[in-house]
């Protein structure tokens, strides 16, 4: 007996840009100050709002910014790559947290 597998094309929405730039930290002074003076607090808040909980951000603080950024990009169909995520998290970590916070606020999370 032969099985026939039919693959239905899926319609995916096109990718989009971030709602605000990486260096637009002053667009939201509250997240800017929190990111500057207490980045772990901001990371825990972002992690909780993304459904991962504060424990993830606390226990995996070395990789949490990268993985949360990649998750947010994938869920919201934001343009980018893991390589780009790794570079900006490494060299502009606070700006990344502020950008993710602004993005979550813009989508109502």
């Amino acid at each position: 007996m032969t099985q026939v597998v039919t693959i239905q094309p899926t319609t995916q929405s096109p990718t989009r840009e971030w709602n605000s730039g990486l260096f637009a930290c002053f667009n939201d002074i509250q997240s800017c100050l929190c990111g500057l003076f207490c980045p772990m607090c901001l990371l825990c808040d972002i992690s909780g709002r993304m459904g991962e909980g504060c424990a993830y951000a606390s226990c995996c603080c070395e990789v949490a910014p990268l993985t949360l950024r990649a998750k947010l990009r994938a869920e919201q169909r934001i343009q980018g790559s893991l390589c780009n995520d790794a570079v900006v998290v490494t060299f502009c970590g606070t700006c990344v947290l502020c950008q993710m916070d602004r993005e979550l606020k813009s989508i109502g999370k």
Side-chain angles (χ1 to χ4, degrees):
M1 176 176 223
T2 305
Q3 288 184 330
V4 176
V5 177
T6 305
I7 299 174
Q8 297 288 333
T10 59
T11 55
Q12 293 181 342
S13 58
T15 57
R16 64 175 179 84
E17 295 287 329
W18 289 90
N19 285 322
S20 63
L22 183 63
F23 301 112
C25 295
F26 293 114
N27 289 356
D28 183 349
I29 296 298
Q30 182 181 359
S31 70
C32 180
L33 292 174
C34 187
L36 184 61
F37 294 111
C38 191
M40 271 308 296
C41 294
L42 185 56
L43 180 60
C44 284
D45 180 58
I46 289 167
S47 183
R49 288 161 47 203
M50 291 184 66
E52 298 300 330
C54 188
Y56 173 69
S58 299
C59 295
C60 304
C61 62
E62 295 296 320
V63 297
L66 175 63
T67 56
L68 291 172
R69 181 178 172 88
K71 178 182 177 179
L72 182 58
R73 269 193 326 92
E75 287 178 350
Q76 297 302 313
R77 304 219 16 96
I78 299 171
Q79 294 175 359
S81 67
L82 284 175
C83 181
N84 178 265
D85 292 341
V87 170
V88 296
V89 165
T90 299
F91 295 105
C92 307
T94 301
C95 294
V96 164
L97 293 177
C98 293
Q99 184 184 40
M100 290 193 307
D101 184 58
R102 291 189 308 273
E103 191 70 33
L104 288 170
K105 286 177 182 176
S106 75
I107 61 173
K109 286 190 174 185

